[in-house]
């Protein structure tokens, strides 16, 4: 008889990633019964002892796997939730097509080691001291502990164990996968490749892949391509997440290009170092997605008795198109990933002083800007680069985290007190992982940077990278940040990271240990952030990397918001923000209103347009207030007040892309709707009108059809003849017309449920 375990449906945070010892969460005792049916917001794990089939059900998703006759862990189903009465027969390994296509390669395995004739992308590859590189894993046992399923695998002859870990989110159905390798042999072994696991899609030939690419000032470009036989590799070899690819994917059926309908399988890797995701269609038309740390220049020496935990690889399924997939991922991030989940704090309206002052910060100038920012309703004032050491430009000072005595003769306290007196909290820019060669820290500790002895040290932005994998560097970085927060009433750190790795050497350890730097560096980064948050729970942190170079579900467990791009051109931002939201929630997406024309395109845009573009995310302001006219302050004050009224809906609601700015579209329309569906806000943008054609009619989504909503223009004009009040069905089926004509025009309106 099957064992049926049902789990209570409270929302929880995701588990931490890549720790040597796996952190367990304990829940209330599950109610065991074969007859009880799961509710839509339950998560359940069932194991059938006779067929050796595991079934995980959560939200609208079922995930089924089993142990076949040769003790492989085999995927059986992943998709829309099945009836609780549906059963699966005992799994059997696939028969090989020929001597060239062995069963090991054609069976859809959850986690496969390189050995026993494996040619597909392996999840694990090791080398033993005797030169043997063959590893064949078989199921040994399993445990079900609340919401956590752990499958233990073992090599057929050697004492190498792998624990596969599965946990389903009951609200969204998103599944968390990871693996832990344990060396119980008497000697060290070398791990040359390791993944968190493989996702197997139903066999097919009509799949399409979506992924995100970019570069500095041009991040978050959505790409689409048909999946064909062979392999597509998304990766970063940069030591960090990177702009060039982001560790997110979505796969749907080719030709099903609909925001709200169709099957979509999607996933994201929670890792902030070098990473790799391969999408492979094999010789029997099976599609596999394997992800984990990048194996380029990688080797991890695992000593006898040691364990290595992989990052988390998250994935989910939606029957409601790519829009439904992104809404599920947003809900999962808000409910299980971000600090303070399932109720992350709303992002305050922020002002950053970088553009007005650059490196030329001083107490008087910052106080003057703070006074101006306060008049428009800003809630957080942030001093950017230039406040420390001998920092008069980007060629000196990084690493010397003492307050510059010329710029701030009495320290930061007078400025902080001034900011507080104006009703704002105080934030500060830091770049803890970097050092300028022209700094006291580098002159004292030149060995602290990543380097190969006797080789050049490549600089980027006139700086080098500290080797955070070193215990002494980790201690230094934590100590100065901890002291900075202890000595000053700081509510926010803008944590920047302005270059990628080069010369990734670690000469302080033995040569066979040096490539651990790729793992240990990121582990220490996470541990610093985790300890800082524990000691200073009121402090919030932004992840910035010259824009969106370090945005992933790993860093987001420790940071409250992210900086998507240094490109703040409000028109470019429509495309950047659209791409960003396929993978990440608008609730963490910082979007600044800066001066026009910007340095990017020398394009002139109205202040209203710039605000509306930024109000689709977490609103910030970076313009030079010293040059604003009185009417600019009046406009900004009005729009900041409007944003505060809709902020919760934008940051925590469900996002619908009504008209996409992709592929050179003249139009862009987004809608955010509150969880209770009582308030919706829509933003509409026009590049250029042509030949007297009107702006396309806007058809709302996600409203309650039988509820009455009142429409109200926030900015711009609704077309004459629109009713003031109508049903949700009317607004979704009849639609809304806005009066937008000209170049770079924008409008916004709300729909609020009318109480009966």
């Amino acid at each position: 008889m099957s064992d049926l375990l049902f789990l209570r449906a409270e929302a929880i945070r995701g588990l931490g990633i890549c720790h040597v010892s796996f952190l367990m969460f304990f829940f209330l005792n599950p109610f065991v019964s074969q007859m009880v049916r799961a509710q839509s917001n339950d998560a359940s794990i069932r194991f059938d002892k006779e067929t050796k089939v595991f079934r995980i059900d959560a939200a609208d998703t079922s995930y089924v796997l089993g142990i076949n006759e040769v003790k492989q862990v085999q995927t059986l189903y992943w998709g829309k939730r099945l009836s609780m009465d549906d059963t699966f027969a005992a799994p059997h390994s696939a028969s090989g097509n020929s001597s060239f296509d062995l069963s090991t390669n054609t069976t859809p395995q959850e986690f496969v080691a390189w050995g026993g004739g494996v040619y597909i992308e392996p999840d694990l590859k090791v080398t033993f001291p005797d030169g043997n590189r063959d590893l064949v894993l078989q199921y040994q046992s399993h445990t079900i502990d609340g919401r956590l399923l752990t499958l233990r695998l073992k090599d057929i002859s050697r004492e190498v164990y792998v624990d596969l870990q599965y946990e389903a989110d009951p609200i969204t159905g998103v599944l968390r996968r990871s693996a832990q390798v344990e060396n119980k042999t008497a000697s060290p072994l070398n791990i040359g490749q390791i993944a968190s696991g493989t996702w197997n899609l139903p066999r097919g030939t009509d799949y399409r892949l979506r992924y995100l690419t970019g570069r500095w000032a041009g991040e978050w470009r959505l790409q689409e391509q048909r999946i064909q036989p062979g392999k597509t590799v998304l990766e970063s070899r940069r030591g960090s997440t990177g702009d060039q690819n982001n560790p997110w994917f979505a796969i749907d059926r080719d030709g099903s290009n609909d925001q709200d309908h169709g099957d979509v399988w999607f996933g994201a890797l929670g890792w902030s170092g070098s990473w790799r995701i391969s999408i492979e269609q094999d010789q029997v038309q099976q599609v596999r997605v394997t992800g984990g740390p990048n194996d380029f220049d990688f080797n991890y020496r695992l000593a006898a008795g040691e364990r290595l935990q992989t990052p988390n690889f998250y994935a989910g399924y939606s029957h409601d198109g790519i829009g439904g997939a992104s809404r599920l991922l947003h809900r999962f991030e808000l409910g299980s990933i971000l600090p303070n989940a399932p109720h992350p704090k709303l992002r305050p309206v922020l002002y950053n002083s970088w553009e007005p002052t650059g490196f030329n910060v001083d107490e008087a100038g910052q106080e003057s800007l703070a006074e101006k920012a306060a008049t428009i309703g800003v809630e957080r004032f942030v001093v950017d680069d230039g406040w420390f050491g001998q920092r008069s430009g980007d060629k000196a000072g990084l690493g010397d985290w003492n307050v510059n005595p010329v710029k701030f003769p009495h320290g930061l306290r007078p400025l902080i007190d001034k900011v507080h007196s104006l009703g704002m909290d105080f934030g500060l820019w830091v770049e803890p992982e970097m050092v300028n060669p022209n700094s006291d820290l580098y002159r004292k500790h030149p060995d602290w940077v990543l380097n190969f002895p006797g080789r050049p040290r490549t600089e980027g932005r006139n700086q080098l990278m500290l080797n955070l994998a070193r215990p002494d560097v980790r201690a230094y970085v934590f100590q100065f940040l901890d002291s900075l927060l202890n000595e000053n009433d700081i509510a926010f750190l803008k944590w920047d990271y302005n270059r990628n790795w080069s010369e990734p050497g670690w000469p302080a350890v033995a040569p066979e240990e040096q490539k651990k730097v790729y793992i240990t560096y990121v582990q220490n980064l996470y541990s610093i952030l985790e300890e800082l948050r524990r000691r200073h729970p009121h402090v919030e942190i932004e992840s910035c990397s010259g824009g969106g170079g370090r945005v992933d579900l790993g860093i987001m467990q420790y940071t409250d918001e992210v900086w998507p791009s240094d490109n703040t051109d409000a028109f470019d931002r429509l495309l950047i923000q659209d791409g960003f939201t396929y993978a990440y929630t608008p609730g963490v997406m910082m979007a600044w209103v800066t001066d026009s024309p910007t340095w990017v395109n020398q394009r002139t845009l109205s202040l209203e347009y710039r605000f509306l573009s930024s109000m689709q995310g977490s609103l910030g302001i970076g313009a030079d207030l010293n040059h604003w006219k009185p009417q600019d302050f009046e406009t900004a004050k009005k729009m900041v007040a409007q944003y505060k009224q809709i902020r919760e809906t934008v940051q925590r609601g469900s996002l619908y892309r009504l008209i996409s700015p992709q592929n050179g579209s003249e139009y862009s329309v987004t809608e955010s709707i509150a969880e209770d569906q009582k308030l919706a806000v829509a933003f509409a943008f026009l590049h250029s009108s042509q030949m007297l054609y009107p702006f396309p009619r806007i058809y709302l989504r996600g409203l309650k059809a039988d509820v009455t909503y009142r429409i109200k223009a926030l900015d711009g004009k609704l077309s004459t003849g629109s009713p003031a009040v109508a049903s949700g069905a009317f607004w979704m089926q009849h639609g809304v017309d806005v009066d937008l004509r000209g170049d770079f025009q924008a409008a916004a309106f709300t729909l609020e449920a009318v109480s009966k």
Side-chain angles (χ1 to χ4, degrees), residues 163-214:
D163 287 343
L164 307 183
Q165 298 137 356
Y166 300 76
E167 185 181 37
D169 177 60
I171 307 301
T172 63
V174 170
L175 194 64
R176 178 191 62 78
R177 299 248 333 248
S178 63
Q180 183 183 90
V181 181
E182 183 176 8
N183 178 13
K184 285 191 173 184
T185 71
S187 304
L189 58 84
N190 289 310
I191 298 175
Q193 183 174 346
I194 187 169
S196 302
T198 293
W199 303 99
N200 294 289
L201 274 68
R203 186 180 297 121
T205 60
D206 59 344
Y207 285 117
R208 176 182 52 181
L209 170 68
R210 284 185 173 98
Y211 57 101
L212 293 164
T213 65

Side-chain angles (χ1 to χ4, degrees), residues 41 55 59 186 248 265 275 339 602 642 673:
N41 62 344
R55 175 169 166 174
W248 168 87
W265 294 264
W275 59 272
Q602 295 300 308
Q642 289 176 349
I673 184 164

Side-chain angles (χ1 to χ4, degrees), residues 128-393:
F128 293 98
D130 61 3
N132 174 61
R133 303 189 304 281
D134 185 73
L135 187 69
V136 178
L137 298 172
Q138 293 182 337
Y139 166 83
Q140 187 180 59
S141 63
H142 74 271
T143 60
I144 299 174
D145 185 358
R147 211 175 271 125
L148 179 66
L149 168 65
T150 302
L151 303 178
R152 168 150 281 212
L153 313 183
K154 180 187 176 298
D155 179 60
I156 55 177
S157 65
R158 304 200 182 201
E159 295 295 306
V160 177
Y161 295 82
V162 178
D163 287 343
L164 307 183
Q165 298 137 356
Y166 300 76
E167 185 181 37
D169 177 60
I171 307 301
T172 63
V174 170
L175 194 64
R176 178 191 62 78
R177 299 248 333 248
S178 63
Q180 183 183 90
V181 181
E182 183 176 8
N183 178 13
K184 285 191 173 184
T185 71
S187 304
L189 58 84
N190 289 310
I191 298 175
Q193 183 174 346
I194 187 169
S196 302
T198 293
W199 303 99
N200 294 289
L201 274 68
R203 186 180 297 121
T205 60
D206 59 344
Y207 285 117
R208 176 182 52 181
L209 170 68
R210 284 185 173 98
Y211 57 101
L212 293 164
T213 65
R215 58 169 173 77
W216 178 74
E219 300 91 335
W220 310 106
R221 298 303 304 268
L222 184 66
Q223 307 294 339
E224 299 180 3
Q225 68 181 50
R226 185 173 180 177
I227 296 178
Q228 296 180 330
K231 186 186 300 181
T232 297
V233 175
L234 311 176
E235 66 174 353
S236 169
R237 299 181 177 185
R238 299 168 177 265
S240 61
T241 319
D243 292 321
Q244 190 173 11
N245 287 293
N246 188 266
W248 168 87
F249 72 90
I251 297 173
D252 64 0
R253 303 287 186 180
D254 192 24
S256 177
N257 192 15
D258 194 289
Q259 280 286 326
D260 299 314
H261 300 92
D263 297 321
V264 180
W265 294 264
F266 60 92
L269 186 65
W271 184 239
S272 307
S274 294
W275 59 272
R276 187 174 188 267
I277 295 176
S278 69
I279 300 94
E280 181 178 20
Q281 186 183 68
D282 66 16
Q283 58 271 46
V284 294
Q285 301 175 343
Q286 180 72 50
V287 175
R288 312 164 187 264
V289 182
T290 303
N294 202 318
D295 62 341
F296 177 79
D297 193 42
F298 178 81
N299 182 74
Y300 195 96
R301 185 177 174 85
L302 194 66
E306 284 188 343
R307 302 174 182 178
L308 177 62
Q309 177 76 36
T310 71
N312 290 334
F313 200 4
Y314 304 92
Y317 163 83
S318 171
H319 187 62
D320 300 316
I322 190 66
S326 60
R327 286 188 289 275
L328 284 176
L329 197 48
H330 297 170
R331 186 60 50 206
F332 177 71
E333 291 159 0
L334 291 166
S336 296
I337 294 292
L338 291 172
N340 303 304
H343 303 294
K345 297 179 182 178
L346 291 174
R347 300 292 81 225
V349 178
L350 174 151
Y351 181 79
N352 184 290
S353 64
W354 170 251
E355 293 206 2
T357 60
F359 296 102
N360 299 318
V361 298
D362 59 34
E363 185 177 311
Q366 296 298 296
E367 288 187 354
S368 176
L369 283 168
E371 289 172 350
K372 295 178 175 66
T375 65
I376 60 175
V378 166
E379 298 160 313
R380 172 169 290 166
F381 183 86
V382 181
V383 175
D384 211 278
D385 198 352
W387 58 269
F388 56 91
Q390 299 302 309
R391 192 71 165 167
S392 57

